[in-house]
Amino acid sequence: MKITHKLISLRKLYFLLFIVVFYNCKSTYKTQAFLTENIPPKPDYNLESSWAVLPWKYTDDFKVYASNQLDTLKADVFYVYPTLITDKKDTRWNAPITDVEQNETVVNKAVLMQASAFASSGKVYVPFYRQAHLRSYKLYKEGGKEAQELAYSDVKNAFEVYLKKYNKGRPIIMVGHSQGTTHTSRLLKEFFDGKPLQKQLIAAYIPGIRVKTKDFSVLKVMNSPNQTGGYVSWNTYKRNNYPKKDKDWYKGCVTTNPITWNDSNTTTLNQHKGFLYTNGKIYSKALTVEITDGLVWSTNPKFPLRFFMSFLKNYHAGDINLFWQDIRENAELRVNTWLATEQ
């Protein structure tokens, strides 16, 4: 009976993963007009409560992945999390930062599975922000633009407070995923691209949405593992699969190899350093990738009960944790390279 119950529990876990990653695109969103009176209160980023993560308020779970010598880290990490408000019955355009359920998801899922990859490279800063609902992309002209502008205004305000109050001239790793990349890309354009702050940029990791080289004037794609001062981006799908509705949507976008960090189009199992799963375990030599135009094609990762993941075609939710150890080691390398160059 114990074995049966364990299998049922694991199946439930995978089913939840399936629901989160592979939402039904055919169903329609319940929505409402974007009205000023419905906008959640503006966060004050001078208050520690407006931050999901500050270097002195890591959760115990996050500390597992952080450096044991936090005070000696010479770099900072500014991370913007992906869209977590996705319920099609939720008519809100933006989530307030007082939403307890959303905040728990930010801290215990997004931060733990994504930002943790950078916790050995720098001191991590993660602002809560009034994230836009997922439908803001699909219904961009029907309220989505306003919702995303509101979300970005928070991220920008948080970043400005970070620069003024916390940065103190330290080098920075910028990280975003999905909606987080939408906002982080704008930060890069506004604060770094050809600006004095670019000198402090170690690297930007901005996967999970389409990024094109023309999006930036000066910032360049990094195509070697120890290159600094630029950005990397990718979007992950199961091998031989494309976006369901628009096969060509990602064509021409930046497609970094998140295992080799160079121009290699394929990898071997031995090159893959590690996939961080929700059970907290890291599975190395778990997958291979193939680079196609705009997409990173991955094999079905080798880990317990991988059968359930075999039904997924879009690996968007795993853009970072599928390559967690690869990213972790690469971020450390880029930090060390930047520091050695600047000394």
Side-chain angles (χ1 to χ4, degrees), residues 112-157:
L112 201 57
M113 299 301 292
Q114 294 188 343
S116 60
F118 302 90
S120 61
S121 296
K123 297 181 178 181
V124 180
Y125 295 81
V126 184
F128 287 122
Y129 70 99
R130 291 172 292 181
Q131 59 175 293
H133 192 286
L134 180 63
R135 74 178 185 277
S136 65
Y137 288 93
K138 186 175 182 179
L139 304 178
Y140 188 74
K141 296 181 179 180
E142 302 168 49
K145 179 179 180 180
E146 291 84 352
Q148 290 195 22
E149 288 294 330
L150 182 70
Y152 176 66
S153 71
D154 284 356
V155 174
K156 179 181 176 180
N157 288 339

mmCIF file of all heavy atoms in Angstrom, residues 112-157:
data_model
loop_
_atom_site.group_PDB
_atom_site.id
_atom_site.type_symbol
_atom_site.label_atom_id
_atom_site.label_comp_id
_atom_site.label_asym_id
_atom_site.label_seq_id
_atom_site.Cartn_x
_atom_site.Cartn_y
_atom_site.Cartn_z
ATOM 1 N N LEU A 112 12.893 29.720 -6.053
ATOM 2 C CA LEU A 112 13.592 28.508 -5.647
ATOM 3 C C LEU A 112 14.099 27.698 -6.830
ATOM 4 O O LEU A 112 15.165 27.084 -6.763
ATOM 5 C CB LEU A 112 12.664 27.645 -4.787
ATOM 6 C CG LEU A 112 13.328 26.612 -3.884
ATOM 7 C CD1 LEU A 112 14.328 27.265 -2.938
ATOM 8 C CD2 LEU A 112 12.266 25.852 -3.089
ATOM 9 N N MET A 113 13.349 27.710 -7.940
ATOM 10 C CA MET A 113 13.731 26.896 -9.094
ATOM 11 C C MET A 113 14.539 27.668 -10.133
ATOM 12 O O MET A 113 15.172 27.061 -10.985
ATOM 13 C CB MET A 113 12.476 26.324 -9.764
ATOM 14 C CG MET A 113 11.643 25.421 -8.871
ATOM 15 S SD MET A 113 12.556 23.984 -8.260
ATOM 16 C CE MET A 113 12.776 23.066 -9.774
ATOM 17 N N GLN A 114 14.518 28.993 -10.075
ATOM 18 C CA GLN A 114 15.201 29.790 -11.095
ATOM 19 C C GLN A 114 16.288 30.686 -10.501
ATOM 20 O O GLN A 114 17.470 30.530 -10.824
ATOM 21 C CB GLN A 114 14.171 30.627 -11.875
ATOM 22 C CG GLN A 114 13.204 29.803 -12.694
ATOM 23 C CD GLN A 114 12.327 30.656 -13.604
ATOM 24 O OE1 GLN A 114 12.195 31.874 -13.436
ATOM 25 N NE2 GLN A 114 11.731 30.024 -14.596
ATOM 26 N N ALA A 115 15.903 31.614 -9.656
ATOM 27 C CA ALA A 115 16.889 32.552 -9.102
ATOM 28 C C ALA A 115 17.984 31.828 -8.324
ATOM 29 O O ALA A 115 19.117 32.311 -8.227
ATOM 30 C CB ALA A 115 16.194 33.578 -8.200
ATOM 31 N N SER A 116 17.664 30.651 -7.794
ATOM 32 C CA SER A 116 18.639 29.884 -7.020
ATOM 33 C C SER A 116 19.881 29.523 -7.816
ATOM 34 O O SER A 116 20.965 29.350 -7.252
ATOM 35 C CB SER A 116 17.991 28.604 -6.487
ATOM 36 O OG SER A 116 17.519 27.796 -7.564
ATOM 37 N N ALA A 117 19.735 29.425 -9.138
ATOM 38 C CA ALA A 117 20.882 29.079 -9.988
ATOM 39 C C ALA A 117 21.973 30.135 -9.911
ATOM 40 O O ALA A 117 23.140 29.857 -10.203
ATOM 41 C CB ALA A 117 20.428 28.892 -11.436
ATOM 42 N N PHE A 118 21.610 31.342 -9.511
ATOM 43 C CA PHE A 118 22.566 32.448 -9.477
ATOM 44 C C PHE A 118 23.009 32.802 -8.060
ATOM 45 O O PHE A 118 23.790 33.732 -7.866
ATOM 46 C CB PHE A 118 21.936 33.676 -10.139
ATOM 47 C CG PHE A 118 21.510 33.434 -11.552
ATOM 48 C CD1 PHE A 118 20.227 32.961 -11.841
ATOM 49 C CD2 PHE A 118 22.382 33.653 -12.605
ATOM 50 C CE1 PHE A 118 19.832 32.719 -13.145
ATOM 51 C CE2 PHE A 118 21.997 33.409 -13.913
ATOM 52 C CZ PHE A 118 20.719 32.936 -14.190
ATOM 53 N N ALA A 119 22.521 32.038 -7.088
ATOM 54 C CA ALA A 119 22.748 32.405 -5.696
ATOM 55 C C ALA A 119 24.176 32.167 -5.227
ATOM 56 O O ALA A 119 24.554 32.633 -4.149
ATOM 57 C CB ALA A 119 21.777 31.646 -4.791
ATOM 58 N N SER A 120 24.972 31.460 -6.005
ATOM 59 C CA SER A 120 26.384 31.279 -5.657
ATOM 60 C C SER A 120 27.266 32.309 -6.361
ATOM 61 O O SER A 120 28.466 32.380 -6.103
ATOM 62 C CB SER A 120 26.848 29.868 -6.030
ATOM 63 O OG SER A 120 26.720 29.646 -7.424
ATOM 64 N N SER A 121 26.657 33.106 -7.234
ATOM 65 C CA SER A 121 27.420 34.085 -8.012
ATOM 66 C C SER A 121 27.297 35.503 -7.487
ATOM 67 O O SER A 121 28.174 36.331 -7.714
ATOM 68 C CB SER A 121 26.958 34.063 -9.476
ATOM 69 O OG SER A 121 27.241 32.820 -10.077
ATOM 70 N N GLY A 122 26.202 35.790 -6.819
ATOM 71 C CA GLY A 122 26.004 37.150 -6.344
ATOM 72 C C GLY A 122 24.916 37.222 -5.293
ATOM 73 O O GLY A 122 24.205 36.246 -5.035
ATOM 74 N N LYS A 123 24.773 38.380 -4.699
ATOM 75 C CA LYS A 123 23.709 38.638 -3.741
ATOM 76 C C LYS A 123 22.423 38.890 -4.523
ATOM 77 O O LYS A 123 22.387 39.741 -5.414
ATOM 78 C CB LYS A 123 24.059 39.851 -2.881
ATOM 79 C CG LYS A 123 25.304 39.636 -2.021
ATOM 80 C CD LYS A 123 25.612 40.851 -1.165
ATOM 81 C CE LYS A 123 26.831 40.607 -0.282
ATOM 82 N NZ LYS A 123 27.141 41.772 0.579
ATOM 83 N N VAL A 124 21.373 38.176 -4.172
ATOM 84 C CA VAL A 124 20.163 38.156 -4.990
ATOM 85 C C VAL A 124 19.123 39.162 -4.490
ATOM 86 O O VAL A 124 18.811 39.213 -3.296
ATOM 87 C CB VAL A 124 19.559 36.739 -5.017
ATOM 88 C CG1 VAL A 124 18.290 36.712 -5.883
ATOM 89 C CG2 VAL A 124 20.586 35.731 -5.560
ATOM 90 N N TYR A 125 18.575 39.911 -5.441
ATOM 91 C CA TYR A 125 17.503 40.869 -5.188
ATOM 92 C C TYR A 125 16.324 40.524 -6.089
ATOM 93 O O TYR A 125 16.472 40.427 -7.316
ATOM 94 C CB TYR A 125 17.965 42.297 -5.488
ATOM 95 C CG TYR A 125 19.063 42.792 -4.581
ATOM 96 C CD1 TYR A 125 20.395 42.449 -4.811
ATOM 97 C CD2 TYR A 125 18.775 43.604 -3.486
ATOM 98 C CE1 TYR A 125 21.408 42.898 -3.968
ATOM 99 C CE2 TYR A 125 19.781 44.057 -2.638
ATOM 100 C CZ TYR A 125 21.093 43.701 -2.887
ATOM 101 O OH TYR A 125 22.096 44.142 -2.048
ATOM 102 N N VAL A 126 15.150 40.354 -5.487
ATOM 103 C CA VAL A 126 13.949 40.013 -6.252
ATOM 104 C C VAL A 126 12.779 40.858 -5.750
ATOM 105 O O VAL A 126 12.288 40.643 -4.641
ATOM 106 C CB VAL A 126 13.584 38.519 -6.111
ATOM 107 C CG1 VAL A 126 12.384 38.191 -7.009
ATOM 108 C CG2 VAL A 126 14.770 37.625 -6.451
ATOM 109 N N PRO A 127 12.313 41.818 -6.534
ATOM 110 C CA PRO A 127 11.161 42.606 -6.093
ATOM 111 C C PRO A 127 9.848 41.895 -6.399
ATOM 112 O O PRO A 127 9.708 41.225 -7.421
ATOM 113 C CB PRO A 127 11.279 43.870 -6.956
ATOM 114 C CG PRO A 127 11.925 43.386 -8.233
ATOM 115 C CD PRO A 127 12.873 42.292 -7.814
ATOM 116 N N PHE A 128 8.895 41.995 -5.478
ATOM 117 C CA PHE A 128 7.520 41.679 -5.845
ATOM 118 C C PHE A 128 7.069 42.775 -6.811
ATOM 119 O O PHE A 128 7.476 43.934 -6.673
ATOM 120 C CB PHE A 128 6.605 41.694 -4.617
ATOM 121 C CG PHE A 128 6.780 40.523 -3.692
ATOM 122 C CD1 PHE A 128 7.116 40.720 -2.362
ATOM 123 C CD2 PHE A 128 6.580 39.221 -4.139
ATOM 124 C CE1 PHE A 128 7.252 39.645 -1.494
ATOM 125 C CE2 PHE A 128 6.716 38.138 -3.279
ATOM 126 C CZ PHE A 128 7.061 38.348 -1.960
ATOM 127 N N TYR A 129 6.248 42.433 -7.774
ATOM 128 C CA TYR A 129 5.703 43.469 -8.652
ATOM 129 C C TYR A 129 4.291 43.093 -9.080
ATOM 130 O O TYR A 129 3.898 41.931 -8.992
ATOM 131 C CB TYR A 129 6.610 43.709 -9.864
ATOM 132 C CG TYR A 129 6.668 42.588 -10.893
ATOM 133 C CD1 TYR A 129 5.910 42.643 -12.061
ATOM 134 C CD2 TYR A 129 7.515 41.489 -10.722
ATOM 135 C CE1 TYR A 129 5.976 41.631 -13.013
ATOM 136 C CE2 TYR A 129 7.595 40.488 -11.672
ATOM 137 C CZ TYR A 129 6.820 40.553 -12.820
ATOM 138 O OH TYR A 129 6.888 39.554 -13.769
ATOM 139 N N ARG A 130 3.541 44.085 -9.505
ATOM 140 C CA ARG A 130 2.158 43.839 -9.921
ATOM 141 C C ARG A 130 2.168 43.189 -11.297
ATOM 142 O O ARG A 130 1.865 43.814 -12.309
ATOM 143 C CB ARG A 130 1.375 45.153 -9.910
ATOM 144 C CG ARG A 130 1.136 45.727 -8.525
ATOM 145 C CD ARG A 130 0.537 47.124 -8.568
ATOM 146 N NE ARG A 130 1.486 48.101 -9.108
ATOM 147 C CZ ARG A 130 1.230 49.397 -9.239
ATOM 148 N NH1 ARG A 130 0.056 49.885 -8.850
ATOM 149 N NH2 ARG A 130 2.138 50.217 -9.742
ATOM 150 N N GLN A 131 2.535 41.894 -11.295
ATOM 151 C CA GLN A 131 2.683 41.161 -12.550
ATOM 152 C C GLN A 131 1.387 41.189 -13.354
ATOM 153 O O GLN A 131 0.288 41.183 -12.802
ATOM 154 C CB GLN A 131 3.084 39.724 -12.266
ATOM 155 C CG GLN A 131 2.084 38.977 -11.400
ATOM 156 C CD GLN A 131 2.420 37.521 -11.228
ATOM 157 O OE1 GLN A 131 2.371 36.751 -12.183
ATOM 158 N NE2 GLN A 131 2.749 37.145 -9.998
ATOM 159 N N ALA A 132 1.533 41.235 -14.667
ATOM 160 C CA ALA A 132 0.375 41.215 -15.561
ATOM 161 C C ALA A 132 -0.116 39.781 -15.743
ATOM 162 O O ALA A 132 0.667 38.838 -15.759
ATOM 163 C CB ALA A 132 0.753 41.809 -16.915
ATOM 164 N N HIS A 133 -1.416 39.635 -15.870
ATOM 165 C CA HIS A 133 -2.012 38.323 -16.121
ATOM 166 C C HIS A 133 -1.503 37.780 -17.451
ATOM 167 O O HIS A 133 -1.175 38.533 -18.375
ATOM 168 C CB HIS A 133 -3.538 38.440 -16.149
ATOM 169 C CG HIS A 133 -4.262 37.134 -16.105
ATOM 170 N ND1 HIS A 133 -4.319 36.282 -17.189
ATOM 171 C CD2 HIS A 133 -4.957 36.526 -15.105
ATOM 172 C CE1 HIS A 133 -5.028 35.212 -16.861
ATOM 173 N NE2 HIS A 133 -5.420 35.338 -15.603
ATOM 174 N N LEU A 134 -1.461 36.472 -17.564
ATOM 175 C CA LEU A 134 -0.997 35.829 -18.790
ATOM 176 C C LEU A 134 -1.743 36.311 -20.027
ATOM 177 O O LEU A 134 -1.164 36.462 -21.106
ATOM 178 C CB LEU A 134 -1.143 34.310 -18.653
ATOM 179 C CG LEU A 134 -0.696 33.469 -19.857
ATOM 180 C CD1 LEU A 134 0.792 33.651 -20.120
ATOM 181 C CD2 LEU A 134 -1.027 31.997 -19.623
ATOM 182 N N ARG A 135 -3.022 36.599 -19.877
ATOM 183 C CA ARG A 135 -3.818 37.011 -21.036
ATOM 184 C C ARG A 135 -3.391 38.368 -21.583
ATOM 185 O O ARG A 135 -3.808 38.770 -22.670
ATOM 186 C CB ARG A 135 -5.304 37.027 -20.687
ATOM 187 C CG ARG A 135 -5.753 38.190 -19.816
ATOM 188 C CD ARG A 135 -7.265 38.137 -19.569
ATOM 189 N NE ARG A 135 -7.731 39.289 -18.839
ATOM 190 C CZ ARG A 135 -7.683 39.417 -17.514
ATOM 191 N NH1 ARG A 135 -7.160 38.457 -16.773
ATOM 192 N NH2 ARG A 135 -8.156 40.512 -16.941
ATOM 193 N N SER A 136 -2.537 39.091 -20.833
ATOM 194 C CA SER A 136 -2.081 40.402 -21.310
ATOM 195 C C SER A 136 -1.308 40.274 -22.613
ATOM 196 O O SER A 136 -1.236 41.239 -23.387
ATOM 197 C CB SER A 136 -1.216 41.092 -20.255
ATOM 198 O OG SER A 136 -0.009 40.377 -20.024
ATOM 199 N N TYR A 137 -0.733 39.108 -22.888
ATOM 200 C CA TYR A 137 -0.034 38.884 -24.158
ATOM 201 C C TYR A 137 -1.027 38.628 -25.284
ATOM 202 O O TYR A 137 -0.908 39.182 -26.374
ATOM 203 C CB TYR A 137 0.949 37.711 -24.027
ATOM 204 C CG TYR A 137 2.159 38.044 -23.193
ATOM 205 C CD1 TYR A 137 2.194 37.769 -21.833
ATOM 206 C CD2 TYR A 137 3.281 38.653 -23.760
ATOM 207 C CE1 TYR A 137 3.305 38.088 -21.061
ATOM 208 C CE2 TYR A 137 4.395 38.969 -22.998
ATOM 209 C CZ TYR A 137 4.399 38.679 -21.652
ATOM 210 O OH TYR A 137 5.496 39.006 -20.900
ATOM 211 N N LYS A 138 -1.996 37.793 -24.999
ATOM 212 C CA LYS A 138 -2.982 37.439 -26.023
ATOM 213 C C LYS A 138 -3.944 38.588 -26.303
ATOM 214 O O LYS A 138 -4.361 38.816 -27.444
ATOM 215 C CB LYS A 138 -3.765 36.198 -25.577
ATOM 216 C CG LYS A 138 -4.720 35.657 -26.630
ATOM 217 C CD LYS A 138 -5.369 34.364 -26.148
ATOM 218 C CE LYS A 138 -6.292 33.797 -27.220
ATOM 219 N NZ LYS A 138 -6.926 32.522 -26.773
ATOM 220 N N LEU A 139 -4.288 39.329 -25.249
ATOM 221 C CA LEU A 139 -5.238 40.442 -25.383
ATOM 222 C C LEU A 139 -4.504 41.770 -25.200
ATOM 223 O O LEU A 139 -4.939 42.646 -24.466
ATOM 224 C CB LEU A 139 -6.354 40.297 -24.344
ATOM 225 C CG LEU A 139 -7.138 38.979 -24.370
ATOM 226 C CD1 LEU A 139 -8.187 38.949 -23.265
ATOM 227 C CD2 LEU A 139 -7.799 38.773 -25.738
ATOM 228 N N TYR A 140 -3.398 41.907 -25.913
ATOM 229 C CA TYR A 140 -2.529 43.061 -25.731
ATOM 230 C C TYR A 140 -3.241 44.377 -26.040
ATOM 231 O O TYR A 140 -3.018 45.385 -25.358
ATOM 232 C CB TYR A 140 -1.299 42.916 -26.631
ATOM 233 C CG TYR A 140 -0.238 43.969 -26.390
ATOM 234 C CD1 TYR A 140 0.560 43.923 -25.251
ATOM 235 C CD2 TYR A 140 -0.031 45.008 -27.305
ATOM 236 C CE1 TYR A 140 1.537 44.885 -25.011
ATOM 237 C CE2 TYR A 140 0.941 45.972 -27.079
ATOM 238 C CZ TYR A 140 1.715 45.898 -25.933
ATOM 239 O OH TYR A 140 2.679 46.856 -25.703
ATOM 240 N N LYS A 141 -4.103 44.383 -27.048
ATOM 241 C CA LYS A 141 -4.791 45.613 -27.444
ATOM 242 C C LYS A 141 -6.098 45.826 -26.699
ATOM 243 O O LYS A 141 -6.814 46.784 -26.955
ATOM 244 C CB LYS A 141 -5.047 45.597 -28.952
ATOM 245 C CG LYS A 141 -3.772 45.607 -29.787
ATOM 246 C CD LYS A 141 -4.078 45.624 -31.276
ATOM 247 C CE LYS A 141 -2.799 45.651 -32.098
ATOM 248 N NZ LYS A 141 -3.086 45.660 -33.568
ATOM 249 N N GLU A 142 -6.425 44.923 -25.816
ATOM 250 C CA GLU A 142 -7.697 44.996 -25.086
ATOM 251 C C GLU A 142 -7.473 45.146 -23.587
ATOM 252 O O GLU A 142 -8.276 44.695 -22.782
ATOM 253 C CB GLU A 142 -8.530 43.744 -25.379
ATOM 254 C CG GLU A 142 -8.820 43.543 -26.858
ATOM 255 C CD GLU A 142 -9.388 42.155 -27.153
ATOM 256 O OE1 GLU A 142 -10.329 41.751 -26.448
ATOM 257 O OE2 GLU A 142 -8.887 41.488 -28.078
ATOM 258 N N GLY A 143 -6.359 45.748 -23.216
ATOM 259 C CA GLY A 143 -6.032 45.944 -21.812
ATOM 260 C C GLY A 143 -4.671 45.390 -21.438
ATOM 261 O O GLY A 143 -4.096 45.765 -20.416
ATOM 262 N N GLY A 144 -4.161 44.492 -22.284
ATOM 263 C CA GLY A 144 -2.881 43.864 -21.997
ATOM 264 C C GLY A 144 -1.717 44.832 -21.969
ATOM 265 O O GLY A 144 -0.814 44.711 -21.130
ATOM 266 N N LYS A 145 -1.733 45.798 -22.884
ATOM 267 C CA LYS A 145 -0.636 46.771 -22.924
ATOM 268 C C LYS A 145 -0.574 47.563 -21.630
ATOM 269 O O LYS A 145 0.511 47.739 -21.042
ATOM 270 C CB LYS A 145 -0.822 47.723 -24.111
ATOM 271 C CG LYS A 145 0.276 48.771 -24.199
ATOM 272 C CD LYS A 145 0.065 49.689 -25.405
ATOM 273 C CE LYS A 145 1.174 50.735 -25.466
ATOM 274 N NZ LYS A 145 1.004 51.654 -26.622
ATOM 275 N N GLU A 146 -1.721 48.031 -21.169
ATOM 276 C CA GLU A 146 -1.760 48.801 -19.935
ATOM 277 C C GLU A 146 -1.301 47.954 -18.743
ATOM 278 O O GLU A 146 -0.601 48.435 -17.854
ATOM 279 C CB GLU A 146 -3.177 49.322 -19.684
ATOM 280 C CG GLU A 146 -3.628 50.397 -20.664
ATOM 281 C CD GLU A 146 -4.189 49.840 -21.969
ATOM 282 O OE1 GLU A 146 -4.100 48.611 -22.179
ATOM 283 O OE2 GLU A 146 -4.719 50.626 -22.777
ATOM 284 N N ALA A 147 -1.693 46.682 -18.729
ATOM 285 C CA ALA A 147 -1.306 45.784 -17.642
ATOM 286 C C ALA A 147 0.204 45.573 -17.624
ATOM 287 O O ALA A 147 0.832 45.573 -16.559
ATOM 288 C CB ALA A 147 -2.027 44.447 -17.785
ATOM 289 N N GLN A 148 0.788 45.394 -18.794
ATOM 290 C CA GLN A 148 2.231 45.186 -18.863
ATOM 291 C C GLN A 148 2.998 46.463 -18.546
ATOM 292 O O GLN A 148 4.070 46.416 -17.929
ATOM 293 C CB GLN A 148 2.610 44.644 -20.238
ATOM 294 C CG GLN A 148 2.147 43.216 -20.457
ATOM 295 C CD GLN A 148 2.806 42.549 -21.650
ATOM 296 O OE1 GLN A 148 3.868 42.950 -22.095
ATOM 297 N NE2 GLN A 148 2.160 41.524 -22.171
ATOM 298 N N GLU A 149 2.471 47.603 -18.961
ATOM 299 C CA GLU A 149 3.119 48.873 -18.615
ATOM 300 C C GLU A 149 3.119 49.081 -17.105
ATOM 301 O O GLU A 149 4.106 49.560 -16.528
ATOM 302 C CB GLU A 149 2.414 50.038 -19.312
ATOM 303 C CG GLU A 149 2.648 50.117 -20.808
ATOM 304 C CD GLU A 149 4.097 50.420 -21.150
ATOM 305 O OE1 GLU A 149 4.792 51.090 -20.366
ATOM 306 O OE2 GLU A 149 4.543 49.977 -22.228
ATOM 307 N N LEU A 150 2.012 48.718 -16.458
ATOM 308 C CA LEU A 150 1.933 48.851 -15.008
ATOM 309 C C LEU A 150 2.961 47.940 -14.333
ATOM 310 O O LEU A 150 3.668 48.364 -13.410
ATOM 311 C CB LEU A 150 0.524 48.494 -14.525
ATOM 312 C CG LEU A 150 0.291 48.642 -13.027
ATOM 313 C CD1 LEU A 150 0.277 50.111 -12.619
ATOM 314 C CD2 LEU A 150 -1.018 47.967 -12.610
ATOM 315 N N ALA A 151 3.047 46.696 -14.829
ATOM 316 C CA ALA A 151 4.014 45.751 -14.266
ATOM 317 C C ALA A 151 5.436 46.276 -14.439
ATOM 318 O O ALA A 151 6.246 46.231 -13.502
ATOM 319 C CB ALA A 151 3.857 44.383 -14.935
ATOM 320 N N TYR A 152 5.732 46.784 -15.627
ATOM 321 C CA TYR A 152 7.093 47.294 -15.863
ATOM 322 C C TYR A 152 7.401 48.501 -14.990
ATOM 323 O O TYR A 152 8.530 48.671 -14.520
ATOM 324 C CB TYR A 152 7.304 47.650 -17.332
ATOM 325 C CG TYR A 152 8.669 48.268 -17.559
ATOM 326 C CD1 TYR A 152 9.818 47.509 -17.377
ATOM 327 C CD2 TYR A 152 8.817 49.619 -17.903
ATOM 328 C CE1 TYR A 152 11.085 48.061 -17.542
ATOM 329 C CE2 TYR A 152 10.073 50.185 -18.073
ATOM 330 C CZ TYR A 152 11.199 49.399 -17.892
ATOM 331 O OH TYR A 152 12.457 49.948 -18.042
ATOM 332 N N SER A 153 6.392 49.340 -14.738
ATOM 333 C CA SER A 153 6.637 50.521 -13.907
ATOM 334 C C SER A 153 7.107 50.104 -12.519
ATOM 335 O O SER A 153 7.958 50.762 -11.913
ATOM 336 C CB SER A 153 5.373 51.385 -13.810
ATOM 337 O OG SER A 153 4.374 50.772 -13.018
ATOM 338 N N ASP A 154 6.582 48.984 -12.015
ATOM 339 C CA ASP A 154 7.036 48.466 -10.721
ATOM 340 C C ASP A 154 8.472 47.976 -10.792
ATOM 341 O O ASP A 154 9.305 48.286 -9.928
ATOM 342 C CB ASP A 154 6.147 47.311 -10.263
ATOM 343 C CG ASP A 154 4.804 47.771 -9.736
ATOM 344 O OD1 ASP A 154 4.588 49.001 -9.647
ATOM 345 O OD2 ASP A 154 3.971 46.905 -9.406
ATOM 346 N N VAL A 155 8.748 47.182 -11.813
ATOM 347 C CA VAL A 155 10.097 46.623 -11.967
ATOM 348 C C VAL A 155 11.119 47.754 -12.098
ATOM 349 O O VAL A 155 12.190 47.714 -11.491
ATOM 350 C CB VAL A 155 10.151 45.679 -13.175
ATOM 351 C CG1 VAL A 155 11.583 45.218 -13.436
ATOM 352 C CG2 VAL A 155 9.246 44.464 -12.950
ATOM 353 N N LYS A 156 10.770 48.754 -12.875
ATOM 354 C CA LYS A 156 11.664 49.898 -13.055
ATOM 355 C C LYS A 156 11.868 50.637 -11.739
ATOM 356 O O LYS A 156 13.006 50.979 -11.378
ATOM 357 C CB LYS A 156 11.091 50.853 -14.107
ATOM 358 C CG LYS A 156 11.945 52.092 -14.329
ATOM 359 C CD LYS A 156 11.316 53.021 -15.367
ATOM 360 C CE LYS A 156 12.131 54.293 -15.518
ATOM 361 N NZ LYS A 156 11.539 55.222 -16.516
ATOM 362 N N ASN A 157 10.792 50.882 -10.999
ATOM 363 C CA ASN A 157 10.911 51.571 -9.716
ATOM 364 C C ASN A 157 11.771 50.779 -8.741
ATOM 365 O O ASN A 157 12.603 51.340 -8.015
ATOM 366 C CB ASN A 157 9.524 51.815 -9.114
ATOM 367 C CG ASN A 157 8.751 52.895 -9.846
ATOM 368 O OD1 ASN A 157 9.332 53.725 -10.537
ATOM 369 N ND2 ASN A 157 7.432 52.871 -9.714
#
